[in-house]
Amino acid sequence: MTPPLNDSPYAAVAAFCNTNARGGGRLGLWLIVGLLLLWELSARSGLITSGNWPPVSDILRAAGRDLAKGELVSALGGTLYRMVIGFALGAATGAALGALLSLSRLARLTLEPTIELLRPLPIPALIPPLILFLGLDDPMKIAVVAFTVFFPVFVNTLHGALAIEPTYRAVAATFGSSWLTTLSSVLIPATLPYVFAGLRISLGLAFVSVVAAEMVAGDSGIGYYITSMQYAGRGADMFAALFLVGLSGYVMNRAFLVLERRILFWHSQSI
Amino acid sequence: MARISRRQVTKLLGAGLAGVGVSAPAVWAQSNMIQLRVGVVPVLDAGAFFVAQAHGYFARERLEITITPTPGGGPSMAALVAGQLQISMSTVTTMIQSQQEGLNLMIVSGVSGSRPFPNDYSAVMVRKDSGIKTGKDVTGKTGASHLLQNLPWVCTRLWIDNTGGDSSKANIIEVHFPQQEDALLSGRVDYVATNEPFMSASISAHSDKLGIVSGLMGTMLPNTIVAAFAVTGDFLEKNKEVVEAFCRAYQSAADWAQANKKSPDMIEPIATFTKLPQERLKALMAWPEFIKTVDPGNLDRIGEAMKRYGALKDMPDSKALIYKTALA
C-alpha cells in the first residue's frame, strides 16, 4: 500500500515542489513587472521616442479609459464570439474527420493528400480569396478560425486514434464488449488526450487568426480596433488593446488547462 | 390582478418607442429608405463621405448607408465583386489594375485628389542626416512606400527619375504609413513616401531630424485624382437611379467639405470615423482635395506612369472606366 504522502519522504519533495512552483510563479510575475518597468523607463527617459512606443503608465490609463467607455469590452466581445464559433466548427470537423480517417484506410488514402496540401497554407494569404466567397463579415472570419483550428485537431485526432494499442481492442473483444462499449470505454478515452493536445494548440492559433482577419477587413473586433488606433496615431490605445489580447489569451489557456484536467482526469493522474 | 386600460397601453407603447428614439413618422420614413452598403477606407481622404453621412446628405436622398471600413485595394474590390459591398472607395490605381484583370468596374465619383506642393498632402520625407535632397541622392539608400505598385510608389519613382536619379536602381521597400516615422528615425530607411495625417505629425514631433524634400502625388502628377468610388457594371445596370442618388448626395457633401476643410463641422465627423484626435486634424499642413469628377486624361497619365514602372501591362481604357456621374 502506498504510504500517505505526509508521512513519507515524498512529502518533503512535494512540499519543495509546491513552494518552488509558487516561487516560479512569483518569479515569472517579477519578470513581467521588470520588463514593464524597463519599457516605462525607455519611453520616459527619451531613450526611445516614438508615438508607437508610449509609456506603460499611459497604456494603462488608456486601457482604463477604453474599458470604462466599453469600447474595448465590446471589441473583445465581438472577437471572442467569432472565435468561439469558428473554434467549435473547426474542432468538430477536425475531430470527426480525424476519427473517420483512422477507421478507413480508403478515406485516408483519398483525403489525406488534399488535407496535407492545404495544411501549410498561411491563413493571412487566404483572407482576400475568402472575402470573395464569404464577404467581409462574420462568416469570413469564422471560416478563417475554423480553417486554422481544423488542422491541429485533425492531425492529433488521426494520430491519436491510430496510436491506440491493438491490445486494448483485443482485451475489449475478449470481454465481449459491444461496439458502443469499446468506443466509449476504450477508443474515445485513449484518443481524447491527443484531441485535447490539438485543441490547446488551436486555441492560441484561433485567437491570432481571428484578430488577423479583423485587421484586414470589417468594422468590429479587437483586430479592427488595433488597426484603427494604429492609423489614428493613438499608440497607447493600440497597446491597451494588445495588452488585453495577451491577457485574454493567457486566461483562455489557463481555463482550458483546468477544463482539460477535469475532463481527462484519468490522464492527468497518469502523468 | 390589475387591469391595464387601452390608454395606458398606448402610453406605454409611446414611452417605449420614445425610449428607443423611434417616433412613428421615423418608422415610416425608414421603411422607404434604400439601403446601401458602402466600403470606405477610414482615412482623411474619405472626409467628405463622413460629412455626408454625419450631416444627413444621404438621408435626404432617401439612402440609408451602412459603412464598412475596408483596407482599400484588393480586398475592397473582392468584396465589391462578391456583392458584399454595393459601392466601394479605393485608390484609382487599384481600379485601373482591376479593369485590366477583367473586372467589370465603373468609377461613379471622385473622392480625393492632390494639388502640387506646397498644398500636396503627400510628400517625400527624409531623415535630415541622410543627405537626400533629390532623386540623384537616393543611390545606395533605402526608401519606403505604404504599398508597392500603388500611387505613392509610382510617384516616388517619378520623383527619383524627374530629379536626376534612376528609379530602376532604387531600393524601395513596403513600410506602412504608421511605421514609416520609426523606420526613418531608426535609420532602417532613408526616405519615405508619406501622406497626411502622418506627414504633419512626424514633422511637428521631429522637425530637427525629419524634413520634406518634395511633394509627391499632386506634385509628380499635378492635380491628380487619388481615390474614387466604384461599383460593378452589373450593379450599375440594375440600380442606376440609386447610384445617381448616392453620387448627388456625396458630391454635394464634397462641395461643402472642399470649402470648409478646417471647420468644426468637418473635423468632428472625420475624427469620429477615423478615431483621429481632433488636435491632429487641426494641425494638418495640407488637406486632400475633395473632388467629384474624374478626368480621363488624368487616369491616362496615371496609367502611363504605372505601365512605365511595370505596375500595369497595357494602358487603361479610361473612358470606359468612368460613369457619367464622375465626368465633369
Side-chain angles (χ1 to χ4, degrees):
Chain A
M1 191 182 146
T2 313
L5 205 59
N6 55 357
D7 288 346
S8 74
Y10 299 113
V13 177
F16 171 78
C17 289
N18 281 339
T19 313
N20 203 34
R22 281 199 298 272
R26 277 200 297 270
L27 200 63
L29 195 66
W30 280 117
L31 176 66
I32 294 169
V33 171
L35 288 172
L36 291 176
L37 274 173
L38 274 177
W39 181 340
E40 176 79 13
L41 279 173
S42 68
R44 291 268 174 220
S45 66
L47 192 68
I48 302 172
T49 48
S50 166
N52 291 324
W53 192 250
V56 174
S57 49
D58 285 2
I59 297 169
L60 295 178
R61 260 196 299 277
R65 190 185 57 233
D66 297 345
L67 281 169
K69 277 198 287 185
E71 281 182 12
L72 269 178
V73 177
S74 146
L76 184 67
T79 299
L80 291 179
Y81 161 76
R82 289 181 272 276
M83 185 193 138
V84 167
I85 297 178
F87 186 83
L89 283 173
T93 324
L97 214 59
L100 174 74
L101 264 67
S102 75
L103 296 172
S104 162
R105 190 165 175 273
L106 181 67
R108 220 163 38 241
L109 289 172
T110 312
L111 293 175
E112 214 171 4
T114 309
I115 291 171
E116 287 302 322
L117 270 174
L118 291 172
R119 193 153 70 101
L121 294 181
I123 198 72
L126 293 177
I127 293 174
L130 278 175
I131 290 174
L132 187 62
F133 297 111
L134 298 170
L136 296 158
D137 298 327
D138 287 356
M140 182 272 284
K141 288 157 202 161
I142 289 168
V144 164
V145 177
F147 190 82
T148 308
V149 170
F150 172 82
F151 293 104
V153 176
F154 165 78
V155 170
N156 276 275
T157 307
L158 176 62
H159 291 279
L162 290 175
I164 295 172
E165 293 278 344
T167 341
Y168 291 178
R169 293 172 202 259
V171 170
T174 308
F175 281 96
S177 302
S178 66
W179 178 84
L180 197 64
T181 312
T182 309
L183 183 74
S184 62
S185 304
V186 179
L187 301 182
I188 291 178
T191 313
L192 268 183
Y194 290 89
V195 178
F196 268 79
L199 289 173
R200 201 176 149 208
I201 295 166
S202 304
L203 191 67
L205 294 175
F207 202 30
V208 170
S209 63
V210 72
V211 172
E214 287 168 351
M215 288 175 92
V216 174
D219 57 359
S220 61
I222 207 89
Y224 173 70
Y225 188 88
I226 289 168
T227 309
S228 54
M229 290 302 148
Q230 197 180 34
Y231 275 79
R234 290 166 57 179
D237 299 271
M238 182 193 75
F239 274 110
L242 284 172
F243 276 21
L244 191 63
V245 167
L247 194 65
S248 308
Y250 178 80
V251 169
M252 273 192 284
N253 189 43
R254 300 303 299 178
F256 188 84
L257 282 173
V258 171
L259 189 74
E260 186 179 1
R261 278 196 205 108
R262 292 217 170 166
I263 294 175
L264 303 181
F265 56 90
W266 73 93
H267 185 68
S268 308
Q269 283 166 357
S270 69
I271 53 171
Chain B
M1 193 178 147
R3 293 185 65 185
I4 301 174
S5 71
R6 190 181 295 173
R7 188 173 291 176
Q8 281 172 315
V9 169
T10 313
K11 272 187 180 174
L12 278 170
L13 276 174
L17 284 171
V20 293
V22 178
S23 62
V27 172
W28 296 329
Q30 277 170 17
S31 65
N32 291 328
M33 299 292 269
I34 296 161
Q35 305 208 337
L36 273 181
R37 191 170 181 189
V38 180
V40 176
V41 189
V43 291
L44 197 56
D45 297 55
F49 176 82
F50 300 137
V51 165
Q53 178 76 339
H55 295 179
Y57 284 79
F58 293 124
R60 283 198 280 281
E61 289 285 348
R62 313 201 72 73
L63 297 173
E64 192 180 325
I65 305 288
T66 304
I67 301 176
T68 297
T70 70
S76 302
M77 294 301 104
L80 199 61
V81 170
Q84 278 281 313
L85 301 172
Q86 278 91 49
I87 299 175
S88 186
M89 171 188 162
S90 192
T91 52
V92 284
T93 45
T94 304
M95 291 169 190
I96 291 171
Q97 283 162 336
S98 301
Q99 184 199 42
Q100 199 128 110
E101 283 162 19
L103 296 186
N104 180 16
L105 293 180
M106 293 294 283
I107 294 175
V108 294
S109 179
V111 170
S112 63
S114 191
R115 290 171 67 195
F117 188 80
N119 296 314
D120 200 334
Y121 79 110
S122 61
V124 180
M125 186 165 69
V126 300
R127 213 180 45 259
K128 283 184 174 170
D129 65 12
S130 69
I132 296 173
K133 288 192 170 59
T134 66
K136 202 167 51 182
D137 307 320
V138 305
T139 311
K141 306 273 169 64
T142 304
S145 177
H146 176 68
L147 292 171
L148 301 184
Q149 309 218 330
N150 208 336
L151 197 57
W153 175 84
V154 166
C155 290
T156 306
R157 293 197 62 175
L158 278 172
W159 168 71
I160 294 170
D161 291 334
N162 292 352
T163 56
D166 180 358
S167 75
S168 65
K169 292 177 184 156
N171 180 26
I172 303 173
I173 61 170
E174 185 169 306
V175 178
H176 290 186
F177 289 128
Q179 283 80 43
Q180 288 182 347
E181 179 188 302
D182 290 342
L184 263 182
L185 290 170
S186 63
R188 286 178 174 83
V189 298
D190 304 291
Y191 60 103
V192 298
T194 184
N195 77 357
E196 292 290 19
F198 305 98
M199 180 169 91
S200 292
S202 296
I203 294 296
S204 76
H206 305 284
S207 57
D208 54 332
K209 292 177 187 151
L210 305 177
I212 303 284
V213 293
S214 172
L216 192 64
M217 295 187 292
T219 310
M220 293 301 122
L221 294 165
N223 300 312
T224 188
I225 180 174
V226 176
F229 277 119
V231 299
T232 63
D234 293 340
F235 181 78
L236 181 61
E237 191 64 35
K238 292 172 193 149
N239 300 280
K240 276 185 182 157
E241 285 178 16
V242 175
V243 171
E244 284 166 17
F246 172 85
C247 292
R248 267 196 309 275
Y250 172 73
Q251 292 174 351
S252 300
D255 278 338
W256 184 88
Q258 182 64 16
N260 295 278
K261 279 180 185 166
K262 291 184 177 174
S263 82
D265 284 344
M266 175 82 197
I267 284 178
E268 203 193 324
I270 298 178
T272 303
F273 285 102
T274 61
K275 314 278 185 210
L276 277 163
Q278 294 200 14
E279 302 71 48
R280 245 183 118 175
L281 288 167
K282 286 173 192 163
L284 291 181
M285 297 194 296
W287 280 75
E289 301 299 295
F290 298 112
I291 60 168
K292 302 185 291 185
T293 58
V294 182
D295 170 19
N298 185 185
L299 284 192
D300 285 341
R301 285 193 296 280
I302 294 172
E304 202 174 272
M306 289 171 75
K307 190 166 173 274
R308 178 175 168 190
Y309 296 124
L312 204 64
K313 272 191 277 179
D314 304 305
M315 282 296 288
D317 184 355
S318 300
K319 280 184 183 153
L321 196 56
I322 307 170
Y323 185 58
K324 65 179 181 187
T325 46
L327 287 169

